[in-house]
Amino acid sequence: MPPTRTARRRLVVPAVFLALVALVAVPIAVQAAKENPVVASTTSATDSTVTTLPSVGRVESCVLDKYSGCTVLHGFGKKPVAITAIASGPAQLSIDPAKTTDKSYRLHAVRRDGKSYRDGTRLRYTAHYDFVAAPAQPPTPKPPTTAPTPTKPPTVTPKPTVTPKPTVTPKPTTTPTSTQPTSNPGQTCTKPTWTTTATGNQGEGRTYGQYYVHNNMWNNHNGTYTMAVCNYNRWYEDVTQSRPGDNGVQAYPNVHKDYDDFPLARIQSAKFAATAPDCAGCIYNIAFDVWINEGFENELMIWTQNHGQTPAGSKIGTTTIGGHAYEVWKAGGNTKPGGIFTYKSVNTQTSGTMPLQAFFKDLEARKWIPANSTTWQVDYGVEVVSTNNTKQRFTFNAFEIQES
């Protein structure tokens, strides 16, 4: 979900369907405007961890100009040694080292067939920043001029070799940007190792192993959002948000895992746990968000908690999955870009194991997505519309995706 967008697809008031812009509504950390680039997430003076880290990875996007390129303000205040851009769709990306500075970089994109993109095309990709040069390879030792005297090696009984099970990693794993927790996962975060506050459309994030915790401020106009993190499965968000004029979702603080065209058939389930305030005038939903197929063609949302929020589109009916009843909402066409499929839990679910595979199968059975569908990102977080201008806390105590 991008930090800057003109309108949100899921609104509190019904029938504001013109705000449902499919390709724009992708989960993005940074965005560059067509002629005036938007500054990326920055590091505050009290949290200048980037200067001590070898690498930082995050999801970004930009709007391409007539040269099929864009300038992105990364906001780190330090020139990266190298930047690698990986497209989430059929695009070939390159970074111009001559135009990389301590404030920005220049990205160029072409289609798979080598042709340029149309002026105004929005492109989504993953940027990997290296701030420390890779160590030089040691010199190859010269062979000795005289043959060494052979010695009889000691007799050692070799240990059996265990071949490790290969791990599917859709993208290079980036170094976690905070210290590992000292307590067990699943406990409430009481001593956060990283905090960040956002008051506009720029929200920071941090990588924790295979997961990314993101203070995603893609539509925030007048709210204050403070994220405090112990680990990817233990964090909370303090929000002060008045009701916006557009009645739309302002931000989606979340934890997610990025994929690279990964088969939905291999994602089985996800552990989750979250607590939310019961406050007068608050409007929000806590939800899974799964982006499906090339170019983020379709979006699956599973609302586990809801407070005054209405899904996009129309209610199709109800179904039962994993022992829980859900309202089924749909916006957009079947198997076409722009489809938003929302399963709104009839009863509040604060924790458990979400059977994601069962939802994928239900979408296939309805012929809303093809059977060979893939994903690029699986998120879990809170979509905030309003906290009635009072400070409220959303706490997340568990998250773990199970794959086959």
Side-chain angles (χ1 to χ4, degrees), residues 157-165:
T157 303
K159 295 182 179 179
T161 302
V162 179
T163 303
K165 182 180 179 181

Side-chain angles (χ1 to χ4, degrees), residues 63 145 171 230 244 343:
V63 178
T145 55
K171 290 185 293 192
C230 292
Y343 291 74

Side-chain angles (χ1 to χ4, degrees), residues 143-229:
T145 55
T146 59
T149 303
T151 57
K152 183 178 180 181
T155 302
V156 178
T157 303
K159 295 182 179 179
T161 302
V162 179
T163 303
K165 182 180 179 181
T167 302
V168 178
T169 54
K171 290 185 293 192
T173 302
T174 55
T175 304
T177 56
S178 78
T179 56
Q180 293 297 315
T182 56
S183 55
N184 294 327
Q187 297 178 350
T188 302
C189 180
T190 56
K191 295 181 179 181
T193 55
W194 177 69
T195 59
T196 180
T197 299
T199 56
N201 277 328
Q202 300 167 34
E204 293 186 90
R206 287 291 184 271
T207 299
Y208 292 80
Q210 295 182 331
Y211 298 93
Y212 190 80
V213 184
H214 184 200
N215 205 21
N216 191 355
M217 300 291 105
W218 55 266
N219 193 39
N220 178 29
H221 293 91
N222 56 1
T224 301
Y225 294 76
T226 298
M227 172 177 276
V229 185

Side-chain angles (χ1 to χ4, degrees), residues 72-84:
V72 180
L73 303 185
H74 56 69
F76 287 118
K78 181 179 179 180
K79 181 179 178 179
V81 173
I83 305 175
T84 303

Side-chain angles (χ1 to χ4, degrees), residues 1 27-28 59 124 171 194 204-218 227-237 251-259 270-274 285-291 300-302 304 356 375-383 394-401:
M1 293 185 180
I28 299 169
V59 181
R124 189 254 188 199
K171 290 185 293 192
W194 177 69
E204 293 186 90
R206 287 291 184 271
T207 299
Y208 292 80
Q210 295 182 331
Y211 298 93
Y212 190 80
V213 184
H214 184 200
N215 205 21
N216 191 355
M217 300 291 105
W218 55 266
M227 172 177 276
V229 185
C230 292
N231 203 3
Y232 69 90
N233 53 7
R234 292 188 299 116
W235 56 279
Y236 61 82
E237 188 86 14
Y252 181 56
N254 70 85
V255 55
H256 65 255
K257 184 174 182 180
D258 291 307
Y259 293 92
K271 296 179 181 178
F272 70 97
N285 68 77
I286 294 179
F288 285 90
D289 201 356
V290 184
W291 296 91
L300 164 65
M301 295 205 75
I302 306 170
T304 56
L356 297 177
T375 186
W376 296 88
Q377 195 173 90
V378 177
D379 310 60
Y380 184 62
V382 55
E383 289 191 316
F394 300 84
T395 303
F396 293 82
N397 296 329
F399 185 68
E400 196 86 36
I401 299 175

Side-chain angles (χ1 to χ4, degrees), residues 103-390:
K103 297 180 180 179
S104 66
Y105 65 88
R106 180 71 179 173
L107 178 140
H108 184 260
V110 294
R111 297 180 182 275
R112 182 177 292 171
D113 57 9
K115 296 181 179 180
S116 297
Y117 280 93
R118 183 176 54 188
D119 183 12
T121 299
R122 186 181 302 277
L123 190 70
R124 189 254 188 199
Y125 58 95
T126 299
H128 184 86
Y129 297 84
D130 290 312
F131 291 93
V132 178
Q137 293 295 324
T140 303
K142 296 181 179 180
T145 55
T146 59
T149 303
T151 57
K152 183 178 180 181
T155 302
V156 178
T157 303
K159 295 182 179 179
T161 302
V162 179
T163 303
K165 182 180 179 181
T167 302
V168 178
T169 54
K171 290 185 293 192
T173 302
T174 55
T175 304
T177 56
S178 78
T179 56
Q180 293 297 315
T182 56
S183 55
N184 294 327
Q187 297 178 350
T188 302
C189 180
T190 56
K191 295 181 179 181
T193 55
W194 177 69
T195 59
T196 180
T197 299
T199 56
N201 277 328
Q202 300 167 34
E204 293 186 90
R206 287 291 184 271
T207 299
Y208 292 80
Q210 295 182 331
Y211 298 93
Y212 190 80
V213 184
H214 184 200
N215 205 21
N216 191 355
M217 300 291 105
W218 55 266
N219 193 39
N220 178 29
H221 293 91
N222 56 1
T224 301
Y225 294 76
T226 298
M227 172 177 276
V229 185
C230 292
N231 203 3
Y232 69 90
N233 53 7
R234 292 188 299 116
W235 56 279
Y236 61 82
E237 188 86 14
D238 286 335
V239 182
T240 303
Q241 174 71 64
S242 59
R243 184 158 180 167
D246 64 1
N247 287 314
V249 174
Q250 299 297 289
Y252 181 56
N254 70 85
V255 55
H256 65 255
K257 184 174 182 180
D258 291 307
Y259 293 92
D260 187 3
D261 213 17
F262 192 75
L264 285 182
R266 296 194 57 186
I267 297 179
Q268 300 304 313
S269 60
K271 296 179 181 178
F272 70 97
T275 57
D278 185 8
C279 51
C282 284
I283 305 171
Y284 62 82
N285 68 77
I286 294 179
F288 285 90
D289 201 356
V290 184
W291 296 91
I292 299 174
N293 291 328
E294 189 174 281
F296 295 87
E297 292 179 355
N298 295 298
E299 178 183 13
L300 164 65
M301 295 205 75
I302 306 170
W303 290 14
T304 56
Q305 300 183 48
N306 180 51
H307 201 289
Q309 179 69 301
T310 301
S314 303
K315 181 179 175 181
I316 302 300
T318 59
T319 189
T320 299
I321 297 178
H324 291 274
Y326 293 88
E327 295 179 2
V328 182
W329 292 67
K330 175 177 172 291
N334 300 350
T335 65
K336 295 180 180 179
I340 309 171
F341 316 121
T342 303
Y343 291 74
K344 175 185 171 185
S345 183
V346 174
N347 299 312
T348 298
Q349 299 183 51
T350 58
S351 64
T353 299
M354 187 60 63
L356 297 177
Q357 186 60 217
F359 289 89
F360 304 151
K361 292 299 184 184
D362 191 70
L363 290 177
E364 293 174 15
R366 297 174 188 270
K367 300 189 182 303
W368 290 355
I369 63 171
N372 60 347
S373 292
T374 60
T375 186
W376 296 88
Q377 195 173 90
V378 177
D379 310 60
Y380 184 62
V382 55
E383 289 191 316
V384 180
V385 176
S386 172
T387 62
N388 201 22
N389 208 28
T390 60

